Amino acid sequence: MQIKNLRIDPAWETRLESIGYGYHSTGGVPYWIDDYYYEISNQEADLIYNATNELWQMCLNAVEYLINKQEYKHFHIPSFMTPHIERSWEQDDPSIYGRFDFAYDADHGQLKMLEFNADTPTSLFEAAIVQWYWKKHYFPELTDQFNGIHEQLIESWAALKPYLKGSILHFSCAKETLEDLTNVEYLRDTALQAGIQTKLIYIDDIGWAGNGFVDLEGTPIRSIFKLYPWEWLSREDFGVHIVADPNRAQWIEPSWKMLLANKAILPVLWELFPNHPYLLASYYNRPTHLMHFVKKPILSREGANITMYYDGQEIYHTEGEYGDEGHIYQELATLYRAQTGFSIIGSWVIGQESCGISFRESDMPITTDKSRFIPHIIRH
Amino acid sequence: MRKTAAKSVQLVLITSVLASCAQPQSQQGGEAKQRVFMRADSTAAYTEVTDNYSQERSGLGMGNALLWYMAFRHLGGGLGYANNNLHPQSVAGTNAAKAAAFQAQRGGFGRTAVSSPKSSYGA
């Protein structure tokens, strides 16, 4: 795996915007990298593919374990939500997607799971579509990419269609965020292509009619995909209606994903699969035997409120508004470092199968919302 | 194994939302004088909403500003269709279903996003 440079296409911004990618830069600073990329080997792609599939099964085992033991205390989930979580698991309420973030130690050929973005993973549109069009622009037809995301999404929606409640699948996200709207509209696009009838409704436009959730036209919401964190939904005014809903609306991602999206799952995985080669040692309390580790809030997004320790001393800290619910401690991973920065691998699991990757790069060894998206190809 | 694929990617929605980002700047001048009227049901009366959004927003054309206005118009008063940007007379007309939808409580989700504005609420 290595960084390679390209002669930049002077019209790269226009090219990206023509396929509907409107947030390639933030304040004039590119978020999307067009003029360099990662070249990975087939063996590295296989390693990521196998690790993702295995970790997904391990995560499902961990959910089963937690629900059987009803052991939720470290997760700080509102107690009224636990029956909903258990019901959604027992009913096999389907998940459509998730993204594992990996550290890659090239010297030892080791992948380590940093976390699992199980509830509201973003950068899906960049990974599935933008980097595919990027490859088509710069490389010959036979050049490959670890990216079957688009096809996998359509196939997964088609497989899921018979199990959806009602005739319409609503899609929802917050207002005034182009990134989330693009991701949701992309997902809705793939659902449409799978033959599902869909409607878009912003999260704050969802209505409660006393006997169920309704959209802006009063149509009952029976199945809904939401790009909005479960921990926020459950703590807002309508959160109690989710549990009381007579229609028992089907939420995607399902509420059992609250267990996997929470970093409190990391010590559970380490307990269930100690010393597993894809895992980093993780604990609820500060480990006395580790000198290099990271302190992460159990609920946080985009690298906020992370503290990194080396030789027991704090060396990095990111700002944010998370951490009230508690933290976990995770062994410090070796990140892949190129001349352009530190990179992590985002690996997508869609419809139960690994199907594509993306790279995010930062100037410091913590990935944040400012981290750059780097496309890739597979070397043959 | 779904590692790689020979794609024939087709998208329906995304480009319709965002393709107008590439509209030429020269369209701005003439559009500033346009007036916009809206209604949410074909049996309701049109009312003017021209002043409810900025035609100069982001320096883009009228079509784009209108798109953003429709996409991101704020909910006001907790009344679904009856947001502050659309006159109540233009909401339901004789459409009983919409009149009923008018009665639903709104705004019970989304508060956290409003209180912590970000470019994305994903991870």
Side-chain angles (χ1 to χ4, degrees), chain A residues 19-20 42 45-46 49 99 117 120-122 125 128-129 132-133 144-147 150-152 155 174-180 182 185-186 188-189 192-193 202-205 207-208 213-218 228-229 232-233 235-238 301 321-322 353-355, chain B residues 1-22 40 57 68 70-76 79-83 95 97-98 100-123:
Chain A
I19 57 170
N42 252 320
D46 287 341
Y49 175 85
R99 193 194 71 236
N117 299 288
T120 56
T122 54
F125 184 64
I129 299 298
W132 183 260
Y133 275 102
D144 226 335
Q145 189 175 77
F146 183 1
N147 186 1
H150 186 73
E151 296 89 338
Q152 186 75 359
E155 286 180 20
K175 288 179 179 170
E176 305 204 5
T177 149
L178 180 58
E179 183 174 348
D180 290 3
T182 304
E185 286 295 75
Y186 172 56
R188 192 160 74 96
D189 202 314
L192 279 169
Q193 293 187 49
Y202 289 108
I203 202 81
D204 37 2
D205 284 339
W208 175 252
F213 292 108
V214 292
D215 65 19
L216 278 172
E217 292 169 335
Y228 195 77
W232 292 2
L233 280 179
R235 286 178 169 84
E236 293 180 353
D237 292 347
F238 283 179
R301 334 196 79 74
E321 54 196 35
Y322 302 98
E353 187 173 2
S354 167
C355 62
Chain B
M1 176 167 164
R2 181 35 78 60
K3 200 177 73 184
T4 58
K7 284 175 199 274
S8 174
V9 174
Q10 293 185 324
L11 296 176
V12 182
L13 298 170
I14 293 290
T15 44
S16 68
V17 171
L18 297 167
S20 59
C21 289
R57 185 171 189 151
W68 283 93
M70 287 304 292
F72 294 138
R73 64 202 152 109
H74 286 282
L75 181 75
L79 289 172
Y81 275 111
N83 63 70
N95 187 321
K98 287 184 181 176
F102 198 83
Q103 302 302 319
Q105 299 171 47
R106 309 276 172 181
F109 288 135
R111 179 171 41 81
T112 320
V114 172
S115 64
S116 56
K118 288 191 174 76
S119 62
S120 169
Y121 300 104

Side-chain angles (χ1 to χ4, degrees), chain A residues 157-192:
Chain A
W157 285 123
L160 206 148
K161 186 181 173 188
Y163 304 100
L164 294 174
K165 298 178 78 171
S167 58
I168 298 170
L169 175 59
H170 288 81
F171 282 77
S172 192
C173 66
K175 288 179 179 170
E176 305 204 5
T177 149
L178 180 58
E179 183 174 348
D180 290 3
L181 177 64
T182 304
N183 276 274
V184 163
E185 286 295 75
Y186 172 56
L187 278 159
R188 192 160 74 96
D189 202 314
T190 56
L192 279 169

Side-chain angles (χ1 to χ4, degrees), chain A residues 59-266:
Chain A
C59 285
L60 296 179
N61 290 343
V63 174
E64 177 81 12
Y65 168 84
L66 289 167
I67 287 180
N68 283 343
K69 289 204 144 200
Q70 297 194 312
E71 199 166 289
Y72 313 122
K73 67 176 179 184
H74 291 293
F75 290 75
H76 291 262
I77 292 168
S79 57
F80 71 88
M81 278 302 298
T82 54
H84 194 273
I85 291 170
E86 291 167 358
R87 192 176 74 212
S88 76
W89 177 252
E90 284 154 12
Q91 291 178 170
D92 290 329
D93 282 353
S95 155
I96 189 76
Y97 71 165
R99 193 194 71 236
F100 289 98
D101 284 344
F102 288 125
Y104 182 56
D105 180 346
D107 292 339
H108 300 94
Q110 283 187 336
L111 275 180
K112 296 285 186 184
M113 171 187 163
L114 295 165
E115 59 190 55
F116 184 29
N117 299 288
D119 184 20
T120 56
T122 54
S123 76
L124 179 68
F125 184 64
E126 297 93 300
I129 299 298
V130 185
Q131 74 169 344
W132 183 260
Y133 275 102
W134 168 88
K135 182 192 81 69
K136 282 183 71 172
H137 177 80
Y138 283 109
F139 294 93
E141 189 68 28
L142 290 176
T143 306
D144 226 335
Q145 189 175 77
F146 183 1
N147 186 1
I149 296 171
H150 186 73
E151 296 89 338
Q152 186 75 359
L153 277 170
I154 295 171
E155 286 180 20
S156 299
W157 285 123
L160 206 148
K161 186 181 173 188
Y163 304 100
L164 294 174
K165 298 178 78 171
S167 58
I168 298 170
L169 175 59
H170 288 81
F171 282 77
S172 192
C173 66
K175 288 179 179 170
E176 305 204 5
T177 149
L178 180 58
E179 183 174 348
D180 290 3
L181 177 64
T182 304
N183 276 274
V184 163
E185 286 295 75
Y186 172 56
L187 278 159
R188 192 160 74 96
D189 202 314
T190 56
L192 279 169
Q193 293 187 49
I196 295 172
Q197 195 179 344
T198 70
K199 282 173 88 172
L200 177 70
I201 181 168
Y202 289 108
I203 202 81
D204 37 2
D205 284 339
I206 292 174
W208 175 252
N211 58 355
F213 292 108
V214 292
D215 65 19
L216 278 172
E217 292 169 335
T219 305
I221 294 175
R222 298 187 186 278
S223 295
I224 180 166
F225 172 90
K226 51 83 198 165
L227 180 52
Y228 195 77
W230 265 111
E231 70 265 22
W232 292 2
L233 280 179
S234 60
R235 286 178 169 84
E236 293 180 353
D237 292 347
F238 283 179
V240 290
H241 298 323
I242 295 172
V243 180
D245 179 9
N247 290 330
R248 293 193 170 185
Q250 185 174 9
W251 293 80
I252 304 171
E253 292 297 300
S255 61
W256 59 262
K257 279 292 198 75
M258 287 181 87
L259 299 172
L260 292 177
N262 190 310
K263 291 181 187 66
I265 196 69
L266 297 171

Side-chain angles (χ1 to χ4, degrees), chain A residues 324-374:
Chain A
D324 289 348
E325 294 84 2
H327 298 81
I328 61 104
Y329 298 83
Q330 186 183 51
E331 172 189 0
L332 185 64
T334 302
L335 297 187
Y336 187 85
R337 187 174 191 180
Q339 65 273 27
T340 49
F342 297 91
S343 288
I344 65 165
I345 301 167
S347 181
W348 290 91
V349 56
I350 293 172
Q352 317 288 326
E353 187 173 2
S354 167
C355 62
I357 59 169
S358 50
F359 289 87
R360 295 287 298 276
E361 182 188 70
S362 312
D363 296 333
M364 62 176 189
I366 297 174
T367 303
T368 70
D369 57 352
K370 305 287 190 300
S371 299
R372 302 173 286 276
F373 188 106
I374 304 178

